[in-house]
Amino acid sequence: MRRHRKIKIVATLGPASSDKATIRALWEAGADVFRLNMSHGTHADIAARHAIIRQIEAEVGRPIAILADLQGPKLRVGVFAGDAADLAEGQRFRLDLSEAPGDASRVQLPHPEIFAALEPGSTLLVNDGKIRLRVESCGADFADCTVTVGGTISNRKGVNVPDVVLPLAALSEKDRRDLEFACDLGVDWLALSFVQRPEDVAEARALARGRASILSKIEKPAAVKAFDSILAVSDGIMVARGDLGVECPVQAVPPIQKRLVRAARSAAKPVIVATQMLESMIESPMPTRAEVSDVATAIYEGADAVMLSAESAAGQYPVQAVATMNAVAIEVESDPVYREVIEASRKVNRRTVADGIVSAAREIAETTDIKAICCFSQSGTTASLVARERPRVPIIALTPLVGTARKLCLTWGAHCVLVEPQERFKGAVLSAARAARADGFAGTSDFIVVTAGVPFNVQGTTNILRVAPCDERLIFRADPE
């Protein structure tokens, strides 16, 4: 059942899913990628979960991707004399750098960078937007505000500043330590929080030094505005709807999601839709109908992956949450309307030989009785280009590099297979035929499409396509040398 599902499932690990039996059950229920949240748990906790995933990977004989999600800088108010204070709509309230405990008239905001960026009229959101402040006047060490939405404000609640680009790096000192630790462990993807500009991604890429692919989380209005330039320098995208829904009007999030998914698809870069997808399953064995529709919407949009956060990390029903997401995906992808929507939203973007090859592979596969498109890839680019086409037939991504196989676990439709390095195209065709037969995609009498780059083992050289039989005798007969 797993191999017929095109969209991938990302499951976050945490206290409810840290033992081997549960992680194995999550994989069997449909998880393709495991997310390690660097905001929670020690390095020892993260390393233990990483080791368990790799043990399971060896046992099941299938590549599994691991995504380390960096926390990003956390902006918080200070503490209050009574641990909390009540703010009424219309009253004045000051934020400053003083370490004195706060009260109903003021509190510390220990981030001079925020004061440097604020202007009169800027909005400050506290505690996920439950309290809203409008800046009336500000300086290097203070901001005098009017409370526009009141409520109880308490110790160290988070602060969002949606109106301005903050002069803060996306990587805090903790993030830098976590990045180095995760790369040394051998994770496949790094999710970068608090992205505001392409330079944030460039900084993370320089620190990663090719040890992991960079996935940019789009969770700030500044990132939405600069999305095209951020996408250009990223390896993948996460539509992080949690903070995005705090900093943007909630009604703006669905159009933003659609726009980002389409742009990432067009760029042949994987895109994850994340946050609150099955939120009620933290406490309930059944999701709401609205949540099921939300998951289905992301699938109809053609996202590469959907993600579970607290549902699988801290909820009471982590395995059921993955199983539910898996079941929804299978049901949607079997709907004839799904193909109509996917094909109507396919954006033709053919500028290179590789673009033409993968487009031709899809056309041939869909107009004849072809069972699978088999693509050889060193870096994963060929498989990603084939996935951009969203073909009706399975995609078998063959690579001699375990890192590439794992990375592609996040890519729509990619069934990743490790093979021996190839020197000649005939060997590649034989490997493809064997993989298609071994994994149940085709029988001896069936045909497949094989794409590859010649010479082999060189990135970015996709230049050949062949319709090949799965019967090895016919392959040798056609190419005896």
Side-chain angles (χ1 to χ4, degrees), residues 43-267:
H43 282 186
D45 295 332
I46 299 294
R49 290 166 191 162
H50 181 279
I52 290 171
I53 296 165
R54 291 296 177 234
Q55 290 171 16
I56 294 168
E57 179 184 62
E59 291 169 6
V60 300
R62 300 283 310 128
I64 299 174
I66 300 177
L67 172 120
D69 195 331
L70 301 174
Q71 176 177 285
K74 290 299 178 186
L75 309 177
R76 301 183 186 279
V77 297
V79 299
F80 290 83
D83 294 332
D86 292 326
L87 303 185
E89 181 179 340
Q91 79 168 74
R92 298 294 287 241
F93 189 73
R94 170 173 276 220
L95 299 165
D96 57 39
L97 294 177
S98 170
E99 295 181 6
D103 54 30
S105 65
R106 60 152 297 278
V107 75
Q108 181 191 24
L109 181 62
H111 303 287
E113 304 93 342
I114 294 181
F115 295 121
L118 288 178
E119 297 176 351
S122 297
T123 299
L124 290 163
L125 308 175
V126 185
N127 193 15
D128 290 337
K130 294 182 177 65
I131 292 174
R132 301 175 69 94
L133 308 173
R134 183 180 65 245
V135 177
E136 303 296 347
S137 62
C138 52
D141 58 357
F142 78 96
D144 285 326
C145 308
T146 297
V147 178
T148 57
V149 177
T152 300
I153 182 172
S154 55
N155 295 342
R156 299 189 179 88
K157 289 301 182 184
V159 178
N160 295 79
V161 192
D163 299 321
V164 296
V165 176
L166 293 175
L168 285 170
L171 294 167
S172 65
E173 285 306 313
K174 170 181 163 53
D175 293 324
R176 291 168 177 270
R177 293 192 299 270
D178 287 346
L179 182 150
E180 191 61 30
F181 169 75
C183 287
D184 282 347
L185 266 185
V187 303
D188 309 294
W189 287 90
L190 285 168
L192 184 62
S193 300
F194 207 85
V195 174
Q196 298 185 97
R197 53 182 87 78
E199 291 80 5
D200 295 331
V201 186
E203 180 184 6
R205 188 177 299 283
L207 293 171
R209 302 194 306 278
R211 293 172 291 173
S213 298
I214 307 297
L215 186 137
S216 295
K217 294 168 66 175
I218 306 302
E219 53 191 350
K220 297 186 70 61
V224 175
K225 291 178 183 176
F227 180 69
D228 289 343
S229 57
I230 290 170
L231 176 63
V233 296
S234 304
D235 299 309
I237 294 294
M238 182 190 294
V239 187
R241 303 178 305 175
D243 278 326
L244 200 57
V246 172
E247 300 212 1
C248 297
V250 290
Q251 67 271 19
V253 175
I256 290 171
Q257 175 178 315
K258 280 188 171 9
R259 191 162 73 248
L260 268 51
V261 169
R262 286 203 176 189
R265 277 183 60 188
S266 179

Side-chain angles (χ1 to χ4, degrees), residues 305-357:
V306 283
M307 192 177 98
L308 295 167
S309 299
E311 302 97 324
S312 58
Q316 298 177 34
Y317 304 96
V319 177
Q320 291 92 324
V322 172
T324 297
M325 202 166 251
N326 183 66
V328 173
I330 291 170
E331 188 71 23
V332 169
E333 291 177 359
S334 65
D335 177 11
V337 174
Y338 170 73
R339 287 308 321 174
E340 293 175 14
V341 173
I342 288 295
E343 288 167 17
S345 61
R346 181 186 293 134
K347 185 176 180 181
V348 177
N349 187 13
R350 298 165 191 162
R351 300 175 182 171
T352 66
V353 170
D355 291 335
I357 290 284

Side-chain angles (χ1 to χ4, degrees), residues 42 68 81 162 211 233 273 281 286 301 352 378 404 459:
T42 65
R211 293 172 291 173
V233 296
V273 175
M281 290 194 75
M286 289 290 292
E301 287 171 352
T352 66
Q378 287 287 115
T404 297
Q459 293 187 13

